[in-house]
Amino acid sequence: MTRDPQVRITSKLPQSGITIFSAMSALAQEHQALNLSQGFPDFEADPKLISLVQEYMQQGHNQYAPSPGILPLREIVSEGREKQHGALYNPDTEVTITAGATQAIAAILTASIREGDEVILFTPAYDCYAPYVELNGGIPVYVKLSFPDYRVDWQQVKKVLNHRTRMIIVNTPHNPSATVFTQQDLDYLEEITKGSNILILSDEVYEHIVFDDMQHVSVSERPELFKRSFVVGSFGKTLHVTGWKTGYCLAPEALTTEVRKIHQYMVFSVNTPVQYALAEYLREVSATGISPMYQQKRDIFRQALQNSRFNILPSQGSYFQLLDYSAVSNLGDVEFARELTIEHGIASIPLSVFYNEHTDHKVLRFCFAKKEETLREAGSILAKL
Ligand SMILES: Cc1ncc(COP(=O)(O)O)c(C=O)c1O
């Protein structure tokens, strides 16, 4: 059959192609490279969690869950927040289970952003924020984190604030820089939003992965920030099951009501047996105990690079390690990441892709949520360059 010319639509995201994460993972597969690019573990989750999903399927929990999520899971999330941050979120009206943090972000931005609203984003930034701001008619206002320590310059934020500012998106622990917010960051955030109607989206998917003496601090802890904030989390990141795409959104009732209206038309509800399994599992196993395991992985990777020509930047939280390769190569970061994958068998993510202006500081991001042997092998190859 001959085909007629394809019917086309005008792209709503003309600048977007496939994401760098898909592209680098595909390149890693093509060249059988160690894949330290995309942020997912190469080890299995607890078999107990996996058998719980099977059990709940066999018990017949295979139909739609309630749209906001099953109550036992919302209760667990609420209790965890209270224990860790002293914040009270009503599981009935202020906790929503979503299809990963990504869908929570999409629902929050769709509920909150209108034509002409400005949204402050810190670059380097995780890639799904700006497209959802733009799809809803909003205008991303980019503020660069300082280099090389990747901190927010709050004076700079003050300068871009105006009556059109609708939201500030923060992310701690931070992807890709692996920095974490301090109480002082929360002080500044409080100071600049007090008395305004500015909303905050706080992406905390790596909330349980913090190292050394750092603590995860959250907008949930401060009444002034709590009342204007949506907090986003991800069971995928916490329990090593990124492919299950389950996450949550916490927000005061008035904000949650609007997010749930969008959520119900986006997906209605989220995978039922997985929700039951997560609820039962998290009753017995604390989500808060994973930092030492990841810290060990971070240290194995860093140790292997100790005598290399790479400059190993600090990693305070998340499962990422940044390496400055300026003493190794003059290539641009996208080119160097491709060369590393094709010639040396290690896939990473060039940091310029997290900047709207593709700022290139000759830094690559490596994900160390990998088996120890993967990390040692990757480290020893990099150390020889
Ligand atoms: C900062 C950040 N936010 C959100 C997400 C998406 O999380 P999920 O897989 O639960 O949708 C990721 C995943 O890499 C992330 O790094």
Side-chain angles (χ1 to χ4, degrees), residues 21 38-40 98-105 125-129 170-176 201 203-206 232-238 241-248 318-320 354 365:
F21 307 105
Q38 213 170 351
F40 63 84
T98 58
T102 311
Q103 188 245 319
I105 293 164
Y126 183 61
D127 66 342
C128 82
Y129 310 141
V170 297
N171 169 213
T172 180
H174 187 250
N175 175 13
L201 192 169
D203 180 342
E204 301 181 16
V205 299
Y206 301 103
V232 168
S234 171
F235 300 106
K237 300 291 184 184
T238 303
V241 285
T242 58
W244 292 5
K245 291 300 293 188
T246 33
Y248 60 83
S318 80
Y319 40 49
F320 301 112
F354 297 93
R365 188 199 78 176

Side-chain angles (χ1 to χ4, degrees), residues 143-168:
V143 175
K144 268 190 194 163
L145 298 179
S146 59
F147 180 76
D149 53 355
Y150 297 100
R151 309 298 320 177
V152 174
D153 178 347
W154 292 104
Q155 298 314 316
Q156 190 61 30
V157 180
K158 271 189 198 166
K159 283 189 198 151
V160 299
L161 283 179
N162 66 68
H163 67 280
R164 286 185 301 273
T165 308
R166 187 73 191 102
M167 182 183 272
I168 301 175

Side-chain angles (χ1 to χ4, degrees), residues 139-317:
I139 301 161
V141 175
Y142 296 100
V143 175
K144 268 190 194 163
L145 298 179
S146 59
F147 180 76
D149 53 355
Y150 297 100
R151 309 298 320 177
V152 174
D153 178 347
W154 292 104
Q155 298 314 316
Q156 190 61 30
V157 180
K158 271 189 198 166
K159 283 189 198 151
V160 299
L161 283 179
N162 66 68
H163 67 280
R164 286 185 301 273
T165 308
R166 187 73 191 102
M167 182 183 272
I168 301 175
I169 302 183
V170 297
N171 169 213
T172 180
H174 187 250
N175 175 13
S177 76
T179 52
V180 305
F181 263 25
T182 61
Q183 290 291 349
Q184 202 183 19
D185 287 309
L186 294 185
D187 291 343
Y188 281 121
L189 195 52
E190 201 169 297
E191 183 194 317
I192 63 173
T193 53
K194 201 168 186 163
S196 75
N197 65 354
I198 296 173
L199 299 166
I200 297 167
L201 192 169
S202 182
D203 180 342
E204 301 181 16
V205 299
Y206 301 103
E207 62 186 314
H208 299 301
I209 314 179
V210 280
F211 307 129
D212 307 317
D213 299 324
M214 303 299 298
Q215 294 284 327
H216 170 57
V217 300
S218 170
V219 290
S220 297
E221 295 163 24
R222 307 276 187 105
E224 182 61 37
L225 297 174
F226 176 103
K227 68 181 184 197
R228 62 179 78 248
S229 294
F230 302 93
V231 174
V232 168
S234 171
F235 300 106
K237 300 291 184 184
T238 303
L239 299 172
H240 327 304
V241 285
T242 58
W244 292 5
K245 291 300 293 188
T246 33
Y248 60 83
C249 170
L250 305 173
E253 184 170 350
L255 301 182
T256 292
T257 303
E258 294 309 311
V259 168
R260 285 186 179 177
K261 287 181 191 171
I262 308 290
H263 169 78
Q264 71 184 341
Y265 296 125
M266 272 181 166
V267 289
F268 184 71
S269 67
V270 175
N271 193 313
T272 308
V274 163
Q275 289 194 58
Y276 278 104
L278 290 170
E280 183 171 335
Y281 185 79
L282 287 170
R283 276 264 161 252
E284 290 166 28
V285 179
S286 164
T288 59
I290 59 172
S291 289
M293 181 271 286
Y294 276 120
Q295 183 163 327
Q296 200 181 359
K297 290 183 182 297
R298 178 199 68 167
D299 292 345
I300 288 170
F301 189 54
R302 289 171 69 92
Q303 193 60 40
L305 292 163
Q306 212 57 53
N307 298 316
S308 75
R309 292 196 291 159
F310 288 94
N311 180 16
I312 310 168
L313 298 180
S315 170
Q316 302 176 320

Side-chain angles (χ1 to χ4, degrees), residues 24-36:
M24 289 309 289
S25 281
L27 197 66
Q29 206 166 12
E30 184 186 337
H31 294 276
Q32 289 167 16
L34 299 172
N35 189 0
L36 274 62

Side-chain angles (χ1 to χ4, degrees), residues 20 81 83 97 100 142 191 197 209 245 255 321 334 350 361:
I20 184 76
R81 269 283 139 171
K83 229 182 269 166
I97 305 301
Y142 296 100
E191 183 194 317
N197 65 354
I209 314 179
K245 291 300 293 188
L255 301 182
Q321 173 65 57
V334 174
H361 291 295

